Amino acid sequence: MNTIEAACHTRFSEQSPRPRSNRRMGAGPKQRIGRLGKTCLLTLATTLLLVGFGEVASRLVVALLDQVALYPLGDSADLTALNYNDTPVPLVKTPGEFRLLTFGDSYVYGTVKTDATFQSIAAGVLEQAGVKARLVNFGEPGTSFFQYRKALAHWTGRVEADAVLVGMFLGNDCTEVAWNAVPDDQPVNGLLRDTYVEITTNRKRFAAAPRIHGSRLLDYAAAAVDIETTGEYVISTIPEPFNSLYSPMPEKKYQEQILFQAAAGEGGRCGELSRGWKALADLGRDLSRLGRERGVQTAVVLEPAEAAINPGLWRETAERVGVDPKRFDPSLPGRMARAVLAAAAPDVAVLDLTPVMACAAARGDSLYPAREIHWNAAGNRLAGQAIARFAGQTWLGQAADAFVGLDPCLDAAPLPEDSGADVVACLGAAGPFGPGQ
């Protein structure tokens, strides 16, 4: 290339427009939308990942807290945190202490506050007789024999005790099992752990946020907002000394409850209730095995329905609903329970509170609130006295005169048995109930 050509080429190159790349010109509309879509997808994925992590973490944290409470590794079991009607209990007894673990449903749990339960009353009576005592309340509302057995297996392996007592509510324990009214697979403390409100104080429990939204993370968020905006406690007008289990019923529902509780006292239904009676026999065998293997004393306390101790209430209800009053034998549930346990677990002690309660009702005592199926404070006091004297005389070798000032109805004669349903026939229809059956 000569000099002139080179100069012309240079000028041409400098003056000619240079092609520009797309990057220098900026992204087109489609590319900007694509980049925005990727950002949105990334943000959504990150959000979902964080929510999913929060959901898993929240469930794991609560499960861990449940495990720590149900399987205590420290010095005590925090029964208050588990929503039992009791205070924290040391896992190991203090020197000289007589400790009795009590299991059962809402009758054992109590619709009264901790200081008014039969456990607290019995401990006080034993203290007056010179025995340092602690009765631990492992009662769980809405349970029956299958749950009693699970609770027994769980807690007796963790909380040291001298004796174990299971309360059987004669009004519905057998019937609920026979008619599948209580799920067999309900876990230990399951209902209490899922209850949003602490029953004894009405305080809201964040860890038991109501299961509403299908997401535990949202449930906890809603519970936090609820507690922050409406307060930590549920405001109620429950009279002292009751707790939030206290629930008088409308008259019609109350009558239905009385009829339901009378079923175990109908001789013609013994076969129909076989599954319930066999569940009681299995409970007795567990208690017998527990006594042999761990050296603890065992007992079943029979708790009567109000219809069994108040003949007037039953007659009035039967007449209102058009039922023959004679079909219900108030002594049959207790007689049947004693017979089943005698056949299946003869070494398990039995205390039937029916004659004690019937005696007090006959003199005019009110042991149940109006249109409520559980004991009031007076009913718990009478039961606590009877259980304390029973424990003192049966297991501690206390003489009768060690207990002073107790209700004279504790010495009431058993209910008459010769005019009611045939318990032998009832056993035949519902059994067999031998130790290995």
Side-chain angles (χ1 to χ4, degrees), residues 27-40:
K30 289 184 178 179
Q31 290 172 313
R32 286 198 299 270
I33 293 173
R35 201 179 335 168
L36 181 62
K38 290 180 181 179
T39 303
C40 290

Side-chain angles (χ1 to χ4, degrees), residues 41-51:
L41 286 174
L42 181 61
T43 302
L44 178 61
T46 303
T47 301
L48 290 175
L49 183 64
L50 289 174
V51 170

Side-chain angles (χ1 to χ4, degrees), residues 9 82 88 172 184 196 206 222 238 317 361-362 380 430:
H9 176 75
L82 289 168
N172 67 19
D184 296 353
Y196 184 37
F206 174 75
I238 298 172
T317 303
N380 274 275

Side-chain angles (χ1 to χ4, degrees), residues 211-268:
R211 299 175 184 273
I212 297 174
H213 302 91
S215 162
R216 291 307 282 157
L217 192 61
L218 288 178
D219 290 338
Y220 295 131
V225 171
D226 174 51
I227 292 171
E228 179 65 27
T229 57
T230 66
E232 289 186 69
Y233 291 86
V234 174
I235 305 302
S236 67
T237 56
I238 298 172
E240 291 289 343
F242 293 102
N243 59 40
S244 57
L245 277 189
Y246 169 74
S247 53
M249 305 174 192
E251 187 62 35
K252 184 177 179 181
K253 184 176 180 181
Y254 180 61
Q255 290 176 2
E256 291 173 352
Q257 279 292 319
I258 292 175
L259 291 173
F260 181 79
Q261 293 173 10
E266 298 180 31

